[in-house]
Amino acid sequence: KDGIGDIEDSGDQNSLNKSNKEKKNRKDKSETVQTNEKPSFMRLLLPAAFLTGFAGLAYEILWNRALATFTSNSIYSFSSILVVYLTGIGIGSYIYGKFLSSRNQGLPLLIRLQVILFALVSLTDVFLNDMHILLVPFKGLMNIPLLSIIFPGLFFSFIMMFLPALLMGMVFPLICSIYAGSSDGVRLGIGKIYFYNTLGSMLGSGVAGFILIPSLGVIKSLLMVSLINLFIALYGSFYFEKRAKWGKRLWISIGVVCIFIFIPYIMGKS
């Protein structure tokens, strides 16, 4: 009986060891898959941080130039740009931290924000030359000397850039949270994101001021920069929807339509 009991115990021990070994193999495979997916995911976020920084400062330079056509004083127009731009970014960051950071939406939220940002900028840009009509209901305020100087800049700045700045304020902490949660350290991850975002901001301001405005003008330049946001959304959707063929087809269709609509508009609009 003792021999039979020993055999049964050894059999149970062997089966237990076998099940533990299978669990370990499955865990090692899952970790291998995650580590293989992580580099491709990181390759998306760092360029996204660079491009969002590039577009953000390019927008600020272009909006400042566009606003100069509605205001007679460049100092007030620049101050209005800064007030509205920084207010939008601050409120957007607060909204993300307060209401969106706990939902763990990650890349899908980044794609949606970029699509909405592209739509807002391109829509306001198309009607940029006709925005002076919006001041007609406020004609009475223009009779007050101080308001006639300050109000137009703040008003047009709010219309053109508050909502885009709000979305841009959500994008930066979103990218930081995605990258920090997927990399080997919070400090290292945020440091990398901040570096690439700052580098993109430096290049964006220079390219907008020295290349885009002299060669294309404000309206065409804004449309060109807005395509950067669409590109980020398309690139992110290819990663997110890599297993869904309909998702790829949908975003490819949207991209092709936008290219065929906006490129002729950019090349033909004076």
Side-chain angles (χ1 to χ4, degrees):
K1 291 183 179 178
D2 292 339
I4 295 174
D6 293 338
I7 293 174
E8 290 177 352
D9 292 339
S10 63
D12 293 338
Q13 185 67 30
N14 290 333
S15 62
L16 180 62
N17 292 334
K18 186 176 179 180
S19 62
N20 290 333
K21 188 175 181 180
E22 290 177 354
K23 290 180 181 178
K24 184 178 180 181
N25 290 334
R26 286 195 297 267
K27 183 178 180 182
D28 292 338
K29 288 181 181 179
S30 63
E31 290 178 353
T32 303
V33 171
Q34 290 177 358
T35 54
N36 289 334
E37 289 182 353
K38 186 180 293 185
S40 62
F41 192 58
M42 295 302 101
R43 285 196 295 268
L44 166 65
L45 291 178
L46 292 179
F50 174 84
L51 291 175
T52 52
F54 182 96
L57 262 291
Y59 283 141
E60 186 176 356
I61 298 297
L62 294 170
W63 281 327
N64 184 42
R65 183 66 184 87
L67 193 60
T69 61
F70 299 108
T71 58
S72 57
N73 194 315
S74 60
I75 296 177
Y76 286 109
S77 65
F78 182 71
S79 300
S80 301
I81 287 285
L82 285 182
V83 168
V84 177
Y85 187 79
L86 295 178
T87 301
I89 287 180
I91 295 176
S93 299
Y94 177 80
I95 290 174
Y96 173 78
K98 185 72 173 178
F99 302 105
L100 300 177
S101 59
S102 60
R103 298 187 179 183
N104 195 24
Q105 294 182 345
L107 187 58
L109 179 59
L110 179 62
I111 294 171
R112 294 188 195 103
L113 291 177
Q114 294 302 308
V115 172
I116 298 172
L117 187 57
F118 161 75
L120 285 174
V121 173
S122 58
L123 182 63
T124 55
D125 187 53
V126 169
F127 299 101
L128 185 62
N129 288 330
D130 300 320
M131 279 191 179
H132 64 277
I133 301 174
L134 298 176
L135 268 181
V136 174
F138 304 98
K139 251 183 182 180
L141 296 176
M142 298 299 100
N143 297 326
I144 303 174
L146 182 61
L147 290 180
S148 65
I149 298 174
I150 298 176
F151 181 76
L154 290 174
F155 179 74
F156 289 117
S157 295
F158 184 84
I159 292 176
M160 283 190 295
M161 55 186 298
F162 179 75
L163 288 179
L166 189 77
L167 297 178
M168 285 187 279
M170 298 180 191
V171 167
F172 183 76
L174 173 60
I175 295 177
C176 288
S177 65
I178 297 173
Y179 191 89
S182 305
S183 65
D184 51 355
V186 174
R187 295 179 181 177
L188 179 62
I190 294 179
K192 284 183 179 180
I193 292 296
Y194 192 80
F195 169 76
Y196 281 97
N197 187 262
T198 304
L199 181 62
S201 301
M202 294 166 54
L203 291 177
S205 59
V207 170
F210 297 112
I211 298 176
L212 292 180
I213 293 177
S215 59
L216 296 177
V218 176
I219 294 179
K220 295 178 183 179
S221 299
L222 281 169
L223 288 175
M224 286 290 289
V225 176
S226 69
L227 291 175
I228 294 177
N229 300 114
L230 181 63
F231 173 77
I232 297 173
L234 291 173
Y235 187 66
S237 68
F238 290 152
Y239 178 87
F240 183 69
E241 301 286 354
K242 60 184 179 181
R243 295 181 181 177
K245 293 182 179 180
W246 67 267
K248 292 183 180 180
R249 291 170 184 164
L250 173 64
W251 286 108
I252 290 174
S253 302
I254 293 174
V256 170
V257 169
C258 290
I259 289 173
F260 275 101
I261 290 176
F262 283 102
I263 293 300
Y265 179 82
I266 292 170
M267 301 308 295
K269 191 171 183 63
S270 58

